[in-house]
Amino acid sequence: MTHRGNVAGIHDTLVGLASELQRRIDLDGDLDDVPRLMVVIDRADSTLRQLARYWETFRQKDDPKTSPAIAALEEALWVGRAARVHVIFDGRSHTTVLEGTSAAHEPFATVILSRFTADTWRRLVPMAGPAPKQNPHPGRFHVVQQDSTHETQAVLMTDADVVNWLTDLDDHES
């Protein structure tokens, strides 16, 4: 597990993701021994705006206009599943930074919503019909795949529980 909490670290990690994604694609489907890679983008709207601004501060005249970090994320959203690279995206799928990608291809096979308004539901999952009534029970959320919606219960954990769980996972993988 790798965590990056600042924009420079996120940028460098996503640029590295582009290389890893290309390496996996070059394996031409022979991915049986390749572990799944999970990329989690928290507060995606804000993070993507920060990445775009960060790139503008360092971009040279001949560099591409689009941040290579954002380009890598777009590529992971586009072909990642075929390379066993999966993206968990905490934010709107139609953020302006990824607008070209979202318009050309819907990269999100599953959308998970909790504490949503009817307007948010219509904007993010219009294919699923009208917004269902929300359950007041803590940890309830809706999973939408294609045009199918299922209400589900999340495991409720404190921050300390999550840290312990992730630490235990890391210890078992070593």
Side-chain angles (χ1 to χ4, degrees):
M1 176 175 59
T2 302
H3 174 267
R4 299 291 181 251
N6 62 56
V7 70
I10 295 168
H11 180 272
D12 293 348
T13 300
L14 286 173
V15 169
L17 173 65
S19 299
E20 176 61 15
L21 188 58
Q22 187 58 54
R23 183 187 74 79
R24 289 170 178 239
I25 289 169
D26 290 345
L27 293 172
D28 199 27
D30 187 19
L31 298 165
D32 292 339
D33 296 327
V34 177
R36 292 189 186 280
L37 179 61
M38 301 295 292
V39 178
V40 179
I41 306 292
D42 190 22
R43 297 186 326 214
D45 298 336
S46 172
T47 301
L48 290 170
R49 280 192 305 274
Q50 289 177 24
L51 284 168
R53 281 195 302 263
Y54 177 80
W55 178 241
E56 285 302 313
T57 63
F58 293 100
R59 185 171 78 90
Q60 301 296 311
K61 180 181 174 189
D62 295 333
D63 287 338
K65 182 168 176 51
T66 300
S67 160
I70 293 171
L73 179 59
E74 288 174 341
E75 188 69 10
L77 289 169
W78 185 261
V79 298
R81 282 181 290 204
R84 296 179 68 131
V85 174
H86 305 280
V87 179
I88 298 174
F89 194 88
D90 174 24
R92 293 188 333 221
S93 62
H94 289 78
T95 182
T96 55
V97 178
L98 294 178
E99 201 168 78
T101 299
S102 298
H105 171 72
E106 179 54 59
F108 299 99
T110 303
V111 177
I112 301 171
L113 294 167
S114 67
R115 298 180 305 178
F116 53 84
T117 64
D119 184 51
T120 298
W121 183 272
R122 276 191 303 273
R123 191 176 68 248
L124 295 179
V125 288
M127 74 301 248
K133 183 177 178 190
Q134 293 193 53
N135 188 323
H137 187 74
R140 296 300 264 179
F141 61 95
H142 289 83
V143 176
V144 180
Q145 293 180 310
Q146 297 175 356
D147 60 354
S148 177
T149 303
H150 303 281
E151 187 175 29
T152 306
Q153 178 66 43
V155 175
L156 298 176
M157 300 173 84
T158 66
D159 289 348
D161 290 337
V162 172
V163 168
N164 289 334
W165 180 68
L166 291 172
T167 303
D168 286 346
L169 282 178
D170 262 356
D171 291 344
H172 287 71
E173 290 179 3
S174 301

